[in-house]
DNA sequence: CCATTTTTATGAACGTGTTCATAATAGGGT
DNA sequence: ACCCTATTATGAACACGTTCATAAAAATGG
């Protein structure tokens, strides 16, 4: 690059303020992840996180509105990775049945949860009940929903799904089973991870059956009356 | 009864201990319900409940292991009433379609939640994720599941449901939709109660479709292959 | 009726998440 | 260089849920 173009190519240049903030945010996120994964969510105290991140206690709540949001901070990163992996796997088999593509997505999250069940349980408790504005967590939640909807849309264009069922509602119906079995597994641990995964797949296939396009040559019959 | 049988007919007679405990338990339950319903779960403090029940702060945690269990104490009573009502409604229409009977049950709970959404949200947050032994809450949860299973069993004997689907799994699949829409409604309030109820019914009917017995005269066709 | 044991009740004390008045720091303007 | 303003950082202070050493009350036995 010629020395003539000295006035910063396009970056607005980062002031000291911005840099310090970014560094602190990273330190906090790292500290939170390490402690949460090692000790669990409840057992980790805000004071520990602050100490490990080398910031004051109050500073923590400048970067996260409360302890739960520290959890999301950690999870956001991870789930972007999982989303990308799932997308790649789906692209590799464009004609795979809907259930299989859904399991590429759901299964990856189950795998992630399996490695840190306590953290995952805390996460999901907050995930499904969020009294916040749809900021942070809402975005993730929405992204998940959209991804499922995209898979449904594919299946619909392949006529695996009836066309008179709105995509969003079909996606909800499928997601419901994922939520249920995840909760059944992580919430009370009465079912193992393998059981949950297997039953989820089964439930999804029954669900797809209910959303399936009827055979082409079907005529109005009285068998699906009122 | 002859006076000769003077030694307590059958009641082991209630000592002072038992009576005091029973009275305290009732006072605590009443106080908790009143305050939770008026102020919401989070906003109600243990100290307020103790004061209103005229017991010491520590006494509260002699009757409930923690604040959440106070919530269950309140809910248990109410749900027994709702169960009984739903049972009666189902008995009144023994031949009603599965979806209708399910909505008799689910709808009643939605109605109860609608009257106290904040309380209900707190309740469900704990309901679906319970780190306890399957005591209190587990019993309720199990009772709910059994009730759904009973409705499925009925429908199955009427051939509304395929016979090769285990009752318990079909019940889970249906319950999953109830859980999902309840959470969607109470968790973030992005859907109204009416929307949630209507979409739940729709989802249930799609689900039943997937679990439905195939028409009698169907033969092995290649249309539902792998 | 009193003495002893067992059960139940209590609130001070603890550790927690969160707030907030105050201090430290960075960015400009002169 | 220096002041002035806006932004960011901090930990003492607060209110909360929960625990626990101690006290009160009830049962039991003589």
């Amino acid at each position: 690059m010629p020395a003539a173009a000295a006035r910063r190519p396009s970056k607005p240049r980062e002031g000291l303020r911005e840099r310090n903030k970014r560094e602190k945010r990273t330190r906090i996120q790292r500290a939170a992840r390490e402690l949460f994964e090692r000790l669990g969510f409840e057992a980790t105290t805000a004071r520990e996180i602050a100490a490990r991140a080398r910031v004051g206690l109050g500073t923590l709540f400048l970067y996260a509105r409360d302890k739960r949001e520290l959890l999301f901070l950690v999870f956001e990163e991870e789930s972007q990775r999982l989303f990308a992996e799932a997308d790649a796997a789906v692209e590799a088999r464009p004609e795979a049945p809907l259930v299989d593509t859904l399991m590429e997505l759901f299964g990856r999250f189950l795998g992630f949860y399996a490695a840190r069940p306590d953290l995952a349980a805390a996460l999901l408790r907050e995930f499904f009940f969020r009294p916040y504005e749809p900021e942070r967590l809402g975005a993730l939640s929405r992204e998940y929903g959209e991804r499922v909807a995209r898979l449904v849309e594919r299946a619909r264009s392949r006529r695996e799904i009836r066309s008179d069922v709105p995509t969003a509602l079909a996606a909800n119906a499928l997601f419901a089973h994922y939520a249920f079995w995840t909760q059944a597994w992580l919430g009370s641990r009465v079912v193992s991870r393998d059981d949950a995964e297997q039953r989820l797949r089964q439930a999804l296939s029954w669900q797809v059956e209910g959303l399936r396009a009827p055979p082409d040559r079907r005529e109005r019959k009285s068998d699906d009356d009122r």
Side-chain angles (χ1 to χ4, degrees), chain A residues 75-121:
Chain A
F75 187 55
E76 256 172 353
E77 232 192 8
E78 214 65 46
S79 53
Q80 291 307 331
R81 196 173 52 75
L82 295 173
F83 279 151
E85 279 183 28
D87 286 350
V90 168
E91 287 309 319
R93 298 175 58 211
E95 296 301 321
L98 178 53
V99 173
D100 289 4
T101 63
L102 287 171
M103 287 306 292
E104 289 287 357
L105 179 58
F106 296 154
R108 268 185 179 75
F109 278 80
L110 294 185
F112 172 71
Y113 300 151
R116 29 186 103 53
D118 169 85
L119 189 60

Side-chain angles (χ1 to χ4, degrees), chain A residues 33-45:
Chain A
R33 187 179 59 238
E34 288 165 10
L35 289 172
F36 284 157
E37 299 210 344
R38 181 143 50 85
L39 310 175
F41 178 68
E42 316 264 326
T44 302
T45 72

Side-chain angles (χ1 to χ4, degrees), chain A residues 99 103 106 110 174 176-182 184-185 188-207:
Chain A
V99 173
M103 287 306 292
F106 296 154
L110 294 185
L174 293 160
H177 296 284
Y178 167 65
F180 175 83
W181 286 108
T182 307
W185 166 40
S188 65
R189 312 273 173 89
V190 295
V191 300
S192 71
R193 183 230 163 146
D194 282 352
D195 278 0
E197 193 156 351
Q198 182 186 329
R199 290 179 195 177
L200 168 57
R201 177 179 273 277
Q202 178 64 262
L204 290 175
S205 76
W206 286 328
Q207 181 66 69

Side-chain angles (χ1 to χ4, degrees), chain A residues 133-198:
Chain A
E133 316 79 278
E135 283 167 33
R136 255 183 215 309
L137 196 51
L140 247 178
S141 185
R142 217 174 313 117
E143 192 164 356
Y144 212 130
E146 279 165 13
R147 224 159 274 254
V148 175
R150 216 174 304 147
L151 296 179
V152 169
E153 193 59 55
R154 267 174 188 261
R156 191 146 83 154
S157 68
R158 274 185 285 124
R159 311 203 158 235
E160 203 182 337
I161 292 285
R162 276 213 311 267
S163 61
D164 63 333
V165 176
T167 303
L169 289 185
N172 284 334
L174 293 160
F175 186 85
H177 296 284
Y178 167 65
F180 175 83
W181 286 108
T182 307
Q183 289 176 7
W185 166 40
L186 289 174
S188 65
R189 312 273 173 89
V190 295
V191 300
S192 71
R193 183 230 163 146
D194 282 352
D195 278 0
E197 193 156 351
Q198 182 186 329

